[in-house]
Amino acid sequence: IFSFPEWEEICSSGHPCICKNYHKTCPALAPHCVAMFEKLKESVVESGSFSMKICPCENGLVEAVVPVRVREKICAVLLMGSVFLNPPSLEFHKRLAEENGLPVEQYLDEVRLTPVLTNEQFQKVLDFLKVLAEAVGSLLQSAVTNERAALYFEALSQNSPAVIYQCETDAPWR
């Protein structure tokens, strides 16, 4: 989950080892990761009404973002990836490793361990992320509404000439 518009990582389940250990650390391949992430960011900024964006990486993987909205404003994005949408070409990745000085066999082992999803599986994950984004947005909206109600109640209780009784419980305005 990334904040928006800052794009600061809020939480993560981690990155595939192929990305973390090879693509993002290799001077020739890291720009592909950066370019993909920038495309995802631009798609959010350009279209405040987007529902999701899928972006391929020149390293052969794909990622997707799904917005989290509060009152139609994007406040965060859920990022899904990096995965292969087709079985990876071991020839392509072997050449990639050789051309960039990566340890070929270890790199290919990571290629084999990286998740490969069918389009149907990928769509199911995205559908889940859409539902999750809606749920998170609803929770955030409730929190905003409760906070506003609490502020209103505080102002009312401090500035009212009438007597307002407050419960000594863990009420949401406490």
Side-chain angles (χ1 to χ4, degrees):
I1 298 177
F2 286 84
S3 65
F4 183 84
E6 301 86 8
W7 286 89
E8 293 176 11
E9 191 172 294
I10 296 170
C11 69
S12 172
S13 61
H15 301 278
C17 289
I18 191 171
C19 296
K20 182 174 61 178
N21 296 338
Y22 296 104
H23 296 163
K24 292 182 179 186
T25 60
C26 176
L29 300 177
H32 299 163
C33 302
V34 172
M36 178 180 59
F37 194 66
E38 290 302 316
K39 284 181 201 171
L40 289 170
K41 287 169 62 173
E42 287 171 15
S43 70
V44 174
V45 173
E46 289 173 2
S47 173
S49 64
F50 89 108
S51 60
M52 72 173 170
K53 175 72 176 174
I54 300 168
C55 192
C57 172
E58 289 185 46
N59 296 327
L61 298 146
V62 295
E63 289 191 353
V65 290
V66 178
V68 175
R69 289 180 169 53
V70 173
R71 290 193 177 159
E72 297 306 311
K73 287 189 172 185
I74 299 171
C75 63
V77 292
L78 303 179
L79 178 71
M80 186 268 182
S82 298
V83 299
F84 291 113
L85 286 185
N86 296 300
S89 163
L90 294 181
E91 274 304 308
F92 169 80
H93 287 282
K94 180 179 181 185
R95 191 171 11 93
L96 202 64
E98 290 170 343
E99 290 172 357
N100 293 288
L102 302 174
V104 176
E105 285 311 310
Q106 291 98 328
Y107 178 76
L108 290 177
D109 286 343
E110 293 297 342
V111 168
R112 290 181 192 101
L113 291 173
T114 303
V116 178
L117 301 180
T118 65
N119 285 331
E120 183 180 319
Q121 291 170 323
F122 191 67
Q123 189 58 52
K124 284 181 180 181
V125 172
L126 290 177
D127 290 343
F128 169 75
L129 286 181
K130 287 181 195 175
V131 171
L132 181 60
E134 289 172 11
V136 170
S138 293
L139 287 171
L140 290 173
Q141 177 60 47
S142 294
V144 168
T145 301
N146 288 340
E147 180 63 25
R148 286 189 180 144
L151 292 173
Y152 177 75
F153 182 80
E154 274 305 309
L156 185 64
S157 67
Q158 292 175 3
N159 299 318
S160 174
V163 176
I164 296 178
Y165 294 97
Q166 297 181 358
C167 298
E168 296 299 324
T169 65
D170 289 335
W173 55 83
R174 292 267 175 230

PDB file of all heavy atoms in Angstrom, residues 102-131:
ATOM      1  N   LEU A 102      25.020 -10.927 -14.370  1.00  0.00           N
ATOM      2  CA  LEU A 102      24.353 -11.568 -13.236  1.00  0.00           C
ATOM      3  C   LEU A 102      24.727 -13.043 -13.201  1.00  0.00           C
ATOM      4  O   LEU A 102      24.970 -13.653 -14.250  1.00  0.00           O
ATOM      5  CB  LEU A 102      22.833 -11.425 -13.364  1.00  0.00           C
ATOM      6  CG  LEU A 102      22.281 -10.000 -13.444  1.00  0.00           C
ATOM      7  CD1 LEU A 102      20.786 -10.019 -13.706  1.00  0.00           C
ATOM      8  CD2 LEU A 102      22.604  -9.235 -12.178  1.00  0.00           C
ATOM      9  N   PRO A 103      24.749 -13.650 -12.022  1.00  0.00           N
ATOM     10  CA  PRO A 103      25.028 -15.091 -11.941  1.00  0.00           C
ATOM     11  C   PRO A 103      23.869 -15.862 -12.595  1.00  0.00           C
ATOM     12  O   PRO A 103      22.763 -15.920 -12.047  1.00  0.00           O
ATOM     13  CB  PRO A 103      25.131 -15.367 -10.442  1.00  0.00           C
ATOM     14  CG  PRO A 103      24.434 -14.219  -9.783  1.00  0.00           C
ATOM     15  CD  PRO A 103      24.515 -13.058 -10.709  1.00  0.00           C
ATOM     16  N   VAL A 104      24.128 -16.432 -13.744  1.00  0.00           N
ATOM     17  CA  VAL A 104      23.086 -16.977 -14.610  1.00  0.00           C
ATOM     18  C   VAL A 104      22.214 -18.013 -13.909  1.00  0.00           C
ATOM     19  O   VAL A 104      20.982 -17.908 -13.923  1.00  0.00           O
ATOM     20  CB  VAL A 104      23.685 -17.554 -15.916  1.00  0.00           C
ATOM     21  CG1 VAL A 104      22.610 -18.217 -16.768  1.00  0.00           C
ATOM     22  CG2 VAL A 104      24.373 -16.449 -16.701  1.00  0.00           C
ATOM     23  N   GLU A 105      22.800 -19.016 -13.308  1.00  0.00           N
ATOM     24  CA  GLU A 105      21.988 -20.091 -12.719  1.00  0.00           C
ATOM     25  C   GLU A 105      21.152 -19.614 -11.536  1.00  0.00           C
ATOM     26  O   GLU A 105      19.983 -19.971 -11.401  1.00  0.00           O
ATOM     27  CB  GLU A 105      22.862 -21.288 -12.327  1.00  0.00           C
ATOM     28  CG  GLU A 105      23.321 -22.109 -13.523  1.00  0.00           C
ATOM     29  CD  GLU A 105      22.198 -22.482 -14.489  1.00  0.00           C
ATOM     30  OE1 GLU A 105      21.151 -23.003 -14.040  1.00  0.00           O
ATOM     31  OE2 GLU A 105      22.363 -22.244 -15.704  1.00  0.00           O
ATOM     32  N   GLN A 106      21.746 -18.780 -10.671  1.00  0.00           N
ATOM     33  CA  GLN A 106      20.975 -18.251  -9.529  1.00  0.00           C
ATOM     34  C   GLN A 106      19.834 -17.359 -10.026  1.00  0.00           C
ATOM     35  O   GLN A 106      18.724 -17.404  -9.505  1.00  0.00           O
ATOM     36  CB  GLN A 106      21.861 -17.451  -8.554  1.00  0.00           C
ATOM     37  CG  GLN A 106      22.839 -18.303  -7.801  1.00  0.00           C
ATOM     38  CD  GLN A 106      24.223 -18.277  -8.443  1.00  0.00           C
ATOM     39  OE1 GLN A 106      24.379 -18.160  -9.656  1.00  0.00           O
ATOM     40  NE2 GLN A 106      25.240 -18.399  -7.614  1.00  0.00           N
ATOM     41  N   TYR A 107      20.132 -16.557 -11.049  1.00  0.00           N
ATOM     42  CA  TYR A 107      19.106 -15.679 -11.616  1.00  0.00           C
ATOM     43  C   TYR A 107      17.969 -16.509 -12.215  1.00  0.00           C
ATOM     44  O   TYR A 107      16.786 -16.239 -11.965  1.00  0.00           O
ATOM     45  CB  TYR A 107      19.720 -14.751 -12.671  1.00  0.00           C
ATOM     46  CG  TYR A 107      18.714 -13.851 -13.333  1.00  0.00           C
ATOM     47  CD1 TYR A 107      18.209 -12.740 -12.666  1.00  0.00           C
ATOM     48  CD2 TYR A 107      18.261 -14.099 -14.620  1.00  0.00           C
ATOM     49  CE1 TYR A 107      17.273 -11.900 -13.266  1.00  0.00           C
ATOM     50  CE2 TYR A 107      17.338 -13.276 -15.230  1.00  0.00           C
ATOM     51  CZ  TYR A 107      16.846 -12.177 -14.550  1.00  0.00           C
ATOM     52  OH  TYR A 107      15.917 -11.356 -15.147  1.00  0.00           O
ATOM     53  N   LEU A 108      18.321 -17.536 -12.965  1.00  0.00           N
ATOM     54  CA  LEU A 108      17.285 -18.387 -13.571  1.00  0.00           C
ATOM     55  C   LEU A 108      16.481 -19.127 -12.503  1.00  0.00           C
ATOM     56  O   LEU A 108      15.278 -19.359 -12.687  1.00  0.00           O
ATOM     57  CB  LEU A 108      17.902 -19.354 -14.577  1.00  0.00           C
ATOM     58  CG  LEU A 108      18.433 -18.714 -15.861  1.00  0.00           C
ATOM     59  CD1 LEU A 108      19.093 -19.766 -16.748  1.00  0.00           C
ATOM     60  CD2 LEU A 108      17.356 -17.972 -16.609  1.00  0.00           C
ATOM     61  N   ASP A 109      17.130 -19.484 -11.401  1.00  0.00           N
ATOM     62  CA  ASP A 109      16.385 -20.096 -10.286  1.00  0.00           C
ATOM     63  C   ASP A 109      15.320 -19.124  -9.776  1.00  0.00           C
ATOM     64  O   ASP A 109      14.188 -19.520  -9.490  1.00  0.00           O
ATOM     65  CB  ASP A 109      17.324 -20.489  -9.142  1.00  0.00           C
ATOM     66  CG  ASP A 109      18.161 -21.716  -9.464  1.00  0.00           C
ATOM     67  OD1 ASP A 109      17.814 -22.458 -10.408  1.00  0.00           O
ATOM     68  OD2 ASP A 109      19.177 -21.923  -8.755  1.00  0.00           O
ATOM     69  N   GLU A 110      15.678 -17.849  -9.651  1.00  0.00           N
ATOM     70  CA  GLU A 110      14.714 -16.840  -9.197  1.00  0.00           C
ATOM     71  C   GLU A 110      13.591 -16.639 -10.227  1.00  0.00           C
ATOM     72  O   GLU A 110      12.444 -16.429  -9.857  1.00  0.00           O
ATOM     73  CB  GLU A 110      15.404 -15.504  -8.900  1.00  0.00           C
ATOM     74  CG  GLU A 110      16.330 -15.551  -7.719  1.00  0.00           C
ATOM     75  CD  GLU A 110      15.652 -15.866  -6.402  1.00  0.00           C
ATOM     76  OE1 GLU A 110      14.420 -15.729  -6.276  1.00  0.00           O
ATOM     77  OE2 GLU A 110      16.370 -16.265  -5.468  1.00  0.00           O
ATOM     78  N   VAL A 111      13.948 -16.702 -11.496  1.00  0.00           N
ATOM     79  CA  VAL A 111      12.921 -16.604 -12.553  1.00  0.00           C
ATOM     80  C   VAL A 111      11.907 -17.727 -12.364  1.00  0.00           C
ATOM     81  O   VAL A 111      10.698 -17.499 -12.406  1.00  0.00           O
ATOM     82  CB  VAL A 111      13.560 -16.673 -13.966  1.00  0.00           C
ATOM     83  CG1 VAL A 111      12.494 -16.857 -15.041  1.00  0.00           C
ATOM     84  CG2 VAL A 111      14.393 -15.430 -14.242  1.00  0.00           C
ATOM     85  N   ARG A 112      12.395 -18.929 -12.121  1.00  0.00           N
ATOM     86  CA  ARG A 112      11.513 -20.088 -11.951  1.00  0.00           C
ATOM     87  C   ARG A 112      10.640 -19.974 -10.693  1.00  0.00           C
ATOM     88  O   ARG A 112       9.550 -20.531 -10.646  1.00  0.00           O
ATOM     89  CB  ARG A 112      12.343 -21.372 -11.895  1.00  0.00           C
ATOM     90  CG  ARG A 112      12.984 -21.741 -13.216  1.00  0.00           C
ATOM     91  CD  ARG A 112      13.792 -23.047 -13.097  1.00  0.00           C
ATOM     92  NE  ARG A 112      14.617 -23.244 -14.260  1.00  0.00           N
ATOM     93  CZ  ARG A 112      15.935 -22.985 -14.309  1.00  0.00           C
ATOM     94  NH1 ARG A 112      16.578 -22.544 -13.243  1.00  0.00           N
ATOM     95  NH2 ARG A 112      16.610 -23.189 -15.422  1.00  0.00           N
ATOM     96  N   LEU A 113      11.133 -19.275  -9.666  1.00  0.00           N
ATOM     97  CA  LEU A 113      10.388 -19.134  -8.412  1.00  0.00           C
ATOM     98  C   LEU A 113       9.381 -17.980  -8.429  1.00  0.00           C
ATOM     99  O   LEU A 113       8.523 -17.897  -7.558  1.00  0.00           O
ATOM    100  CB  LEU A 113      11.365 -18.919  -7.244  1.00  0.00           C
ATOM    101  CG  LEU A 113      12.228 -20.119  -6.878  1.00  0.00           C
ATOM    102  CD1 LEU A 113      13.266 -19.717  -5.829  1.00  0.00           C
ATOM    103  CD2 LEU A 113      11.365 -21.265  -6.361  1.00  0.00           C
ATOM    104  N   THR A 114       9.496 -17.107  -9.406  1.00  0.00           N
ATOM    105  CA  THR A 114       8.595 -15.951  -9.493  1.00  0.00           C
ATOM    106  C   THR A 114       7.219 -16.423  -9.945  1.00  0.00           C
ATOM    107  O   THR A 114       7.107 -17.217 -10.877  1.00  0.00           O
ATOM    108  CB  THR A 114       9.170 -14.908 -10.471  1.00  0.00           C
ATOM    109  OG1 THR A 114      10.471 -14.541 -10.008  1.00  0.00           O
ATOM    110  CG2 THR A 114       8.289 -13.677 -10.543  1.00  0.00           C
ATOM    111  N   PRO A 115       6.159 -15.945  -9.282  1.00  0.00           N
ATOM    112  CA  PRO A 115       4.808 -16.392  -9.630  1.00  0.00           C
ATOM    113  C   PRO A 115       4.446 -16.143 -11.097  1.00  0.00           C
ATOM    114  O   PRO A 115       4.758 -15.084 -11.650  1.00  0.00           O
ATOM    115  CB  PRO A 115       3.902 -15.563  -8.719  1.00  0.00           C
ATOM    116  CG  PRO A 115       4.770 -15.120  -7.601  1.00  0.00           C
ATOM    117  CD  PRO A 115       6.149 -14.998  -8.170  1.00  0.00           C
ATOM    118  N   VAL A 116       3.811 -17.147 -11.690  1.00  0.00           N
ATOM    119  CA  VAL A 116       3.267 -17.033 -13.041  1.00  0.00           C
ATOM    120  C   VAL A 116       1.760 -17.181 -12.900  1.00  0.00           C
ATOM    121  O   VAL A 116       1.272 -18.201 -12.409  1.00  0.00           O
ATOM    122  CB  VAL A 116       3.805 -18.137 -13.982  1.00  0.00           C
ATOM    123  CG1 VAL A 116       3.187 -18.014 -15.371  1.00  0.00           C
ATOM    124  CG2 VAL A 116       5.324 -18.103 -14.052  1.00  0.00           C
ATOM    125  N   LEU A 117       1.027 -16.138 -13.293  1.00  0.00           N
ATOM    126  CA  LEU A 117      -0.429 -16.168 -13.202  1.00  0.00           C
ATOM    127  C   LEU A 117      -1.031 -16.183 -14.597  1.00  0.00           C
ATOM    128  O   LEU A 117      -0.499 -15.535 -15.508  1.00  0.00           O
ATOM    129  CB  LEU A 117      -0.954 -14.941 -12.452  1.00  0.00           C
ATOM    130  CG  LEU A 117      -0.461 -14.727 -11.022  1.00  0.00           C
ATOM    131  CD1 LEU A 117      -1.091 -13.472 -10.444  1.00  0.00           C
ATOM    132  CD2 LEU A 117      -0.769 -15.918 -10.147  1.00  0.00           C
ATOM    133  N   THR A 118      -2.120 -16.897 -14.726  1.00  0.00           N
ATOM    134  CA  THR A 118      -2.876 -16.796 -15.970  1.00  0.00           C
ATOM    135  C   THR A 118      -3.614 -15.460 -15.947  1.00  0.00           C
ATOM    136  O   THR A 118      -3.745 -14.825 -14.885  1.00  0.00           O
ATOM    137  CB  THR A 118      -3.901 -17.939 -16.099  1.00  0.00           C
ATOM    138  OG1 THR A 118      -4.878 -17.781 -15.054  1.00  0.00           O
ATOM    139  CG2 THR A 118      -3.241 -19.315 -16.006  1.00  0.00           C
ATOM    140  N   ASN A 119      -4.117 -15.036 -17.080  1.00  0.00           N
ATOM    141  CA  ASN A 119      -4.893 -13.791 -17.113  1.00  0.00           C
ATOM    142  C   ASN A 119      -6.097 -13.884 -16.180  1.00  0.00           C
ATOM    143  O   ASN A 119      -6.445 -12.917 -15.507  1.00  0.00           O
ATOM    144  CB  ASN A 119      -5.345 -13.472 -18.538  1.00  0.00           C
ATOM    145  CG  ASN A 119      -4.195 -12.951 -19.379  1.00  0.00           C
ATOM    146  OD1 ASN A 119      -3.266 -12.340 -18.864  1.00  0.00           O
ATOM    147  ND2 ASN A 119      -4.268 -13.194 -20.671  1.00  0.00           N
ATOM    148  N   GLU A 120      -6.719 -15.060 -16.124  1.00  0.00           N
ATOM    149  CA  GLU A 120      -7.879 -15.260 -15.249  1.00  0.00           C
ATOM    150  C   GLU A 120      -7.473 -15.128 -13.770  1.00  0.00           C
ATOM    151  O   GLU A 120      -8.158 -14.470 -12.989  1.00  0.00           O
ATOM    152  CB  GLU A 120      -8.496 -16.633 -15.502  1.00  0.00           C
ATOM    153  CG  GLU A 120      -9.743 -16.908 -14.696  1.00  0.00           C
ATOM    154  CD  GLU A 120     -10.335 -18.279 -14.976  1.00  0.00           C
ATOM    155  OE1 GLU A 120     -10.368 -18.686 -16.156  1.00  0.00           O
ATOM    156  OE2 GLU A 120     -10.753 -18.928 -14.005  1.00  0.00           O
ATOM    157  N   GLN A 121      -6.367 -15.742 -13.391  1.00  0.00           N
ATOM    158  CA  GLN A 121      -5.890 -15.632 -12.006  1.00  0.00           C
ATOM    159  C   GLN A 121      -5.530 -14.189 -11.660  1.00  0.00           C
ATOM    160  O   GLN A 121      -5.870 -13.697 -10.588  1.00  0.00           O
ATOM    161  CB  GLN A 121      -4.671 -16.534 -11.794  1.00  0.00           C
ATOM    162  CG  GLN A 121      -4.971 -18.005 -11.822  1.00  0.00           C
ATOM    163  CD  GLN A 121      -3.698 -18.840 -11.861  1.00  0.00           C
ATOM    164  OE1 GLN A 121      -2.705 -18.468 -12.512  1.00  0.00           O
ATOM    165  NE2 GLN A 121      -3.720 -19.972 -11.166  1.00  0.00           N
ATOM    166  N   PHE A 122      -4.856 -13.522 -12.592  1.00  0.00           N
ATOM    167  CA  PHE A 122      -4.463 -12.139 -12.368  1.00  0.00           C
ATOM    168  C   PHE A 122      -5.709 -11.269 -12.189  1.00  0.00           C
ATOM    169  O   PHE A 122      -5.762 -10.423 -11.295  1.00  0.00           O
ATOM    170  CB  PHE A 122      -3.621 -11.646 -13.556  1.00  0.00           C
ATOM    171  CG  PHE A 122      -2.936 -10.333 -13.336  1.00  0.00           C
ATOM    172  CD1 PHE A 122      -1.914 -10.208 -12.410  1.00  0.00           C
ATOM    173  CD2 PHE A 122      -3.300  -9.223 -14.068  1.00  0.00           C
ATOM    174  CE1 PHE A 122      -1.266  -8.997 -12.212  1.00  0.00           C
ATOM    175  CE2 PHE A 122      -2.663  -8.006 -13.882  1.00  0.00           C
ATOM    176  CZ  PHE A 122      -1.640  -7.890 -12.956  1.00  0.00           C
ATOM    177  N   GLN A 123      -6.723 -11.509 -13.020  1.00  0.00           N
ATOM    178  CA  GLN A 123      -7.961 -10.739 -12.922  1.00  0.00           C
ATOM    179  C   GLN A 123      -8.657 -10.989 -11.587  1.00  0.00           C
ATOM    180  O   GLN A 123      -9.200 -10.062 -10.979  1.00  0.00           O
ATOM    181  CB  GLN A 123      -8.911 -11.068 -14.087  1.00  0.00           C
ATOM    182  CG  GLN A 123     -10.108 -10.159 -14.152  1.00  0.00           C
ATOM    183  CD  GLN A 123      -9.728  -8.692 -14.290  1.00  0.00           C
ATOM    184  OE1 GLN A 123      -8.960  -8.321 -15.155  1.00  0.00           O
ATOM    185  NE2 GLN A 123     -10.265  -7.858 -13.416  1.00  0.00           N
ATOM    186  N   LYS A 124      -8.620 -12.225 -11.104  1.00  0.00           N
ATOM    187  CA  LYS A 124      -9.227 -12.526  -9.800  1.00  0.00           C
ATOM    188  C   LYS A 124      -8.504 -11.782  -8.676  1.00  0.00           C
ATOM    189  O   LYS A 124      -9.143 -11.279  -7.750  1.00  0.00           O
ATOM    190  CB  LYS A 124      -9.218 -14.034  -9.536  1.00  0.00           C
ATOM    191  CG  LYS A 124     -10.269 -14.778 -10.330  1.00  0.00           C
ATOM    192  CD  LYS A 124     -10.251 -16.257 -10.028  1.00  0.00           C
ATOM    193  CE  LYS A 124     -11.317 -16.968 -10.850  1.00  0.00           C
ATOM    194  NZ  LYS A 124     -11.366 -18.399 -10.591  1.00  0.00           N
ATOM    195  N   VAL A 125      -7.190 -11.708  -8.753  1.00  0.00           N
ATOM    196  CA  VAL A 125      -6.429 -10.963  -7.750  1.00  0.00           C
ATOM    197  C   VAL A 125      -6.802  -9.483  -7.830  1.00  0.00           C
ATOM    198  O   VAL A 125      -7.020  -8.828  -6.809  1.00  0.00           O
ATOM    199  CB  VAL A 125      -4.908 -11.165  -7.927  1.00  0.00           C
ATOM    200  CG1 VAL A 125      -4.129 -10.237  -7.013  1.00  0.00           C
ATOM    201  CG2 VAL A 125      -4.528 -12.614  -7.665  1.00  0.00           C
ATOM    202  N   LEU A 126      -6.902  -8.953  -9.048  1.00  0.00           N
ATOM    203  CA  LEU A 126      -7.273  -7.547  -9.207  1.00  0.00           C
ATOM    204  C   LEU A 126      -8.689  -7.291  -8.700  1.00  0.00           C
ATOM    205  O   LEU A 126      -8.951  -6.255  -8.067  1.00  0.00           O
ATOM    206  CB  LEU A 126      -7.150  -7.119 -10.663  1.00  0.00           C
ATOM    207  CG  LEU A 126      -5.724  -7.020 -11.194  1.00  0.00           C
ATOM    208  CD1 LEU A 126      -5.734  -6.662 -12.672  1.00  0.00           C
ATOM    209  CD2 LEU A 126      -4.911  -6.013 -10.405  1.00  0.00           C
ATOM    210  N   ASP A 127      -9.600  -8.229  -8.958  1.00  0.00           N
ATOM    211  CA  ASP A 127     -10.964  -8.084  -8.438  1.00  0.00           C
ATOM    212  C   ASP A 127     -10.951  -8.043  -6.916  1.00  0.00           C
ATOM    213  O   ASP A 127     -11.655  -7.244  -6.298  1.00  0.00           O
ATOM    214  CB  ASP A 127     -11.857  -9.226  -8.932  1.00  0.00           C
ATOM    215  CG  ASP A 127     -12.164  -9.141 -10.415  1.00  0.00           C
ATOM    216  OD1 ASP A 127     -11.965  -8.062 -11.016  1.00  0.00           O
ATOM    217  OD2 ASP A 127     -12.600 -10.172 -10.979  1.00  0.00           O
ATOM    218  N   PHE A 128     -10.133  -8.902  -6.310  1.00  0.00           N
ATOM    219  CA  PHE A 128     -10.000  -8.890  -4.854  1.00  0.00           C
ATOM    220  C   PHE A 128      -9.435  -7.555  -4.379  1.00  0.00           C
ATOM    221  O   PHE A 128      -9.916  -6.968  -3.405  1.00  0.00           O
ATOM    222  CB  PHE A 128      -9.108 -10.040  -4.379  1.00  0.00           C
ATOM    223  CG  PHE A 128      -8.717  -9.918  -2.933  1.00  0.00           C
ATOM    224  CD1 PHE A 128      -9.635 -10.201  -1.934  1.00  0.00           C
ATOM    225  CD2 PHE A 128      -7.452  -9.499  -2.571  1.00  0.00           C
ATOM    226  CE1 PHE A 128      -9.292 -10.073  -0.590  1.00  0.00           C
ATOM    227  CE2 PHE A 128      -7.097  -9.368  -1.236  1.00  0.00           C
ATOM    228  CZ  PHE A 128      -8.022  -9.651  -0.248  1.00  0.00           C
ATOM    229  N   LEU A 129      -8.412  -7.050  -5.071  1.00  0.00           N
ATOM    230  CA  LEU A 129      -7.817  -5.769  -4.683  1.00  0.00           C
ATOM    231  C   LEU A 129      -8.820  -4.629  -4.805  1.00  0.00           C
ATOM    232  O   LEU A 129      -8.822  -3.704  -3.992  1.00  0.00           O
ATOM    233  CB  LEU A 129      -6.577  -5.470  -5.519  1.00  0.00           C
ATOM    234  CG  LEU A 129      -5.334  -6.278  -5.185  1.00  0.00           C
ATOM    235  CD1 LEU A 129      -4.175  -5.872  -6.079  1.00  0.00           C
ATOM    236  CD2 LEU A 129      -4.948  -6.124  -3.723  1.00  0.00           C
ATOM    237  N   LYS A 130      -9.702  -4.695  -5.822  1.00  0.00           N
ATOM    238  CA  LYS A 130     -10.737  -3.664  -5.953  1.00  0.00           C
ATOM    239  C   LYS A 130     -11.666  -3.686  -4.741  1.00  0.00           C
ATOM    240  O   LYS A 130     -12.007  -2.642  -4.187  1.00  0.00           O
ATOM    241  CB  LYS A 130     -11.546  -3.879  -7.223  1.00  0.00           C
ATOM    242  CG  LYS A 130     -10.817  -3.521  -8.493  1.00  0.00           C
ATOM    243  CD  LYS A 130     -11.746  -3.772  -9.677  1.00  0.00           C
ATOM    244  CE  LYS A 130     -11.031  -3.788 -10.968  1.00  0.00           C
ATOM    245  NZ  LYS A 130     -11.908  -4.136 -12.098  1.00  0.00           N
ATOM    246  N   VAL A 131     -12.085  -4.881  -4.333  1.00  0.00           N
ATOM    247  CA  VAL A 131     -12.953  -5.016  -3.158  1.00  0.00           C
ATOM    248  C   VAL A 131     -12.215  -4.533  -1.909  1.00  0.00           C
ATOM    249  O   VAL A 131     -12.774  -3.813  -1.079  1.00  0.00           O
ATOM    250  CB  VAL A 131     -13.441  -6.478  -2.999  1.00  0.00           C
ATOM    251  CG1 VAL A 131     -14.146  -6.687  -1.680  1.00  0.00           C
ATOM    252  CG2 VAL A 131     -14.343  -6.867  -4.168  1.00  0.00           C
TER     253      VAL A 131
END
